Amino acid sequence: MKRLTITMSLLLAIGSFSFAQKQDIEKKFDSKAAIEEFTYLASDELMGRDPARPEMKLAYTFIADLLKKAGATPLPGADGFYQNIPFRLSSPPKSGSLKIGDKEFTQGQNMLVLDGKSFSGTYELVDVGFGMDEDFAGKDLKGKIAITNAGAPNKLSPNQLFSEGRSKTLRAKEAGAVALIERFNVPSVPWQLVSGFLNRPQMSVDQGSASDLPYVWIEDAKNQMTGDKLKNAVFAIQGKVNVDIDGKNVLAWIEGTDPVLKNEFIMLSAHYDHVGVGAPDAKGDSIYNGARDNAVGTVAVINAAKYFVQNPPKRSVIFALWTAEEKGLLGSGYFANNPLIPLNQIVYNLNIDNAGYNDTSIITVIGLGRTSADFMIEEAVAEFGLTAKADPSPEQGLYDRSDNVNFARKGIPAPSFTLGFTAFDDEIQQYYHKAADEVDSFDMDYAKIYWKSYILSAQKVANWNQRPKWAVGDKYEEVSKELYGDK
């Protein structure tokens, strides 16, 4: 009986403490300021927060000023509150053609010039398989063109296709090649979809002289570009234009209170860019404001910073607002490959990305069930009267389409805390990457609960006396063990 009494008393104390945390967040959360921030970030003035447009400076300056005003600290090695990223905007050529054997390829039809300078001439082809390091080993590529398969074994998602291609251009340049061709034969990604999306200016991280290497995809659905056909290639690419773009991740941090746990970081992140200006809708509106995607997430991270500066948890906290997510997860990818904090000190990433919502009684957690910290998110949102639900649309591949995946691949447990949706249905599609995605159509009561429940979720994880881990058997479990030195 005595043991039962002690147990009940402990549970009541824990419940009372948790309730007090929620009450404190409720008391200190400035709803009026948050809504004003939300309204500005999704306003026409920012022209859809396209990283290639000059208005992007208004967005990152606004965010950095708010973090500074809140009292957060710049990360070591950053340029104030910025991590500068050398982007490159590569436009399709005015004309482009390629002939391999008796097969002819034309820009925008069965050929896409993704990067590089104007280029012409006849060159010998060298097949380097998937273009991995071992594929290039021992091959004479000086003055020749490397031709590879797109992607890599078990790496055929859209994001992986791009990241692998960039790595291959570096290898090709180092090997002395004059161009890189990738045979696109990915059954899960239709060429028509790829061609429609990529036959327009593409942003990438500048790789120095390797970015000047002509980088081309050709349609090869039937795997015909092999064997004797791969002798020579005749290129004619004219009118190629490339522009340097100054990109900025916005970053800050606060130190934790525990003498041991403060050496570990949880990272709260969201991308602040959107798709910019597009085709006018029926009302003539061409500005894609991106309230749901992802001004609402940006505001969540900003207000988490405001709260944790005044109420630091046991662990240290990084606040990360990524740029160029819509261009291929570029900002988060740059940080993951050029971290300002050692990645093995970042023990958890609670990311935010959104398409929209169709159920204001839930929070959808992309990746729910994959980490040991999930129960704390479930507890936190429940305290605000919501229910945490797992991804209802796995066919969309949402986990691999947002910034969290760049850190998951490094081994960091990284779910995404998203607005509630029960299916990727018409209610979602009417706003997703549409001009209609504006603050005026957003349920502001839901926004406030969403922001507060995010802060409480982060607080619980940041105070937890255990390091979050991947679920046993998860595909990222082994790389995580390597990252953190687990036996």
Side-chain angles (χ1 to χ4, degrees):
M1 178 64 73
K2 184 177 180 180
R3 182 178 297 175
L4 179 61
T5 302
I6 292 172
T7 301
M8 290 298 293
S9 297
L10 182 60
L11 289 173
L12 287 170
I14 292 172
S16 178
F17 176 68
S18 183
F19 179 74
Q21 288 179 315
K22 172 185 179 287
Q23 291 296 98
D24 191 57
I25 292 170
E26 292 267 30
K27 179 181 177 181
K28 295 175 179 176
F29 189 87
D30 189 339
S31 295
K32 182 174 182 293
I35 292 171
E36 288 175 352
E37 294 154 7
F38 188 28
T39 301
Y40 177 71
L41 285 169
S43 68
D44 285 356
E45 184 178 350
L46 272 62
M47 299 297 287
R49 306 188 306 281
D50 182 340
R53 293 187 64 97
E55 294 84 6
M56 194 63 163
K57 183 176 181 179
L58 297 173
Y60 64 65
T61 301
F62 179 73
I63 297 166
D65 286 348
L66 286 172
L67 293 175
K68 181 178 181 179
K69 184 179 178 181
T73 303
L75 280 179
D79 178 14
F81 288 95
Y82 304 123
Q83 181 183 38
N84 299 319
I85 308 174
F87 285 139
R88 170 189 178 96
L89 190 66
S90 183
S91 298
K94 290 183 177 178
S95 65
S97 65
L98 167 65
K99 186 174 182 180
I100 299 176
D102 59 358
K103 183 70 172 178
E104 295 185 358
F105 300 89
T106 303
Q107 169 66 26
Q109 296 179 19
N110 54 358
M111 166 186 169
L112 294 167
V113 180
L114 301 180
D115 208 347
K117 293 184 175 180
S118 296
F119 181 68
S120 62
T122 302
Y123 300 88
E124 183 180 342
L125 287 167
V126 179
D127 194 337
V128 286
F130 271 103
M132 303 294 99
D133 284 326
E134 59 270 24
D135 296 321
F136 276 92
K139 300 285 178 65
D140 177 14
L141 283 157
K142 291 183 179 179
K144 302 174 184 177
I145 293 174
I147 184 167
T148 81
N149 296 316
N154 300 316
K155 294 183 178 180
L156 296 174
S157 71
N159 186 42
Q160 289 172 321
L161 291 173
F162 293 122
S163 62
E164 290 298 321
R166 299 301 172 187
S167 296
K168 294 175 196 180
T169 58
L170 286 171
R171 296 184 192 115
K173 182 67 176 179
E174 291 171 359
V178 295
L180 172 69
I181 299 171
E182 287 195 297
R183 296 171 290 225
F184 190 91
N185 47 23
V186 183
S188 60
V189 184
W191 174 262
Q192 290 77 10
L193 178 66
V194 167
S195 180
F197 182 73
L198 296 181
N199 191 26
R200 56 186 178 182
Q202 297 298 316
M203 184 174 282
S204 62
V205 175
D206 195 310
Q207 300 187 103
S209 59
S211 288
D212 289 334
L213 194 79
Y215 173 36
V216 175
W217 280 5
I218 58 172
E219 182 184 13
D220 188 26
K222 297 182 180 179
N223 298 310
Q224 295 177 327
M225 293 294 102
T226 58
D228 292 340
K229 294 181 179 180
L230 302 183
K231 292 181 179 179
N232 295 297
V234 183
F235 260 114
I237 299 173
Q238 298 178 342
K240 196 74 179 65
V241 176
N242 305 299
V243 178
D244 293 335
I245 302 290
D246 181 22
K248 294 184 186 295
N249 288 329
V250 189
L251 303 164
W253 76 291
I254 58 103
E255 186 175 37
T257 59
D258 187 274
V260 176
L261 290 180
K262 72 177 182 180
N263 296 310
E264 297 180 353
F265 295 78
I266 69 164
M267 183 164 67
L268 307 181
S269 65
H271 75 90
Y272 70 96
D273 66 304
H274 193 53
V275 298
V277 178
D281 62 12
K283 299 178 181 178
D285 187 359
S286 62
I287 300 175
Y288 290 42
N289 301 81
R292 293 157 179 78
D293 184 14
N294 189 30
V296 68
T298 303
V299 173
V301 175
I302 291 169
N303 282 273
K306 291 180 184 180
Y307 182 78
F308 287 126
V309 165
Q310 300 299 324
N311 306 272
K314 293 179 180 179
R315 285 187 175 87
S316 298
V317 185
I318 298 169
F319 309 101
L321 290 313
W322 310 123
T323 186
E325 186 270 351
E326 301 289 1
K327 304 297 184 182
L329 317 182
L330 298 182
S332 59
Y334 189 83
F335 184 92
N337 292 321
N338 303 274
L340 300 180
I341 296 293
L343 294 182
N344 62 3
Q345 287 183 252
I346 302 174
V347 300
Y348 190 74
N349 172 210
L350 189 57
N351 183 59
I352 295 180
D353 193 8
N354 288 293
Y357 61 89
N358 56 26
D359 188 338
T360 59
S361 72
I362 67 174
I363 295 293
T364 301
V365 182
I366 308 300
L368 189 69
R370 297 181 66 176
T371 84
S372 61
D374 291 342
F375 75 95
M376 284 178 284
I377 298 177
E378 293 173 326
E379 290 177 355
V381 304
E383 291 185 44
F384 283 96
L386 304 174
T387 304
K389 296 284 189 179
D391 181 2
S393 302
E395 76 282 355
Q396 293 288 331
L398 297 177
Y399 192 93
D400 294 326
R401 287 168 52 185
S402 191
D403 294 304
N404 55 289
V405 75
N406 282 323
F407 300 98
R409 288 176 183 148
K410 299 290 186 180
I412 298 169
S416 277
F417 189 97
T418 79
L419 299 167
F421 69 102
T422 54
F424 217 82
D425 60 10
D426 291 343
E427 179 68 15
I428 302 298
Q429 293 287 2
Q430 71 170 313
Y431 297 110
Y432 180 55
H433 289 187
K434 301 286 198 313
D437 185 9
E438 298 181 334
V439 169
D440 288 348
S441 61
F442 206 103
D443 183 332
M444 213 55 68
D445 288 333
Y446 182 52
K448 289 183 280 188
I449 294 175
Y450 177 78
W451 292 325
K452 295 171 191 175
S453 61
Y454 177 76
I455 295 171
L456 183 57
S457 298
Q459 185 179 43
K460 286 178 178 289
V461 178
N463 283 325
W464 196 26
N465 60 4
Q466 299 179 40
R467 172 165 60 81
K469 293 185 178 182
W470 291 99
V472 175
D474 193 277
K475 69 178 182 178
Y476 296 120
E477 183 187 17
E478 289 305 314
V479 70
S480 185
K481 289 180 177 179
E482 293 177 15
L483 177 67
Y484 299 117
D486 295 337
K487 299 297 183 180

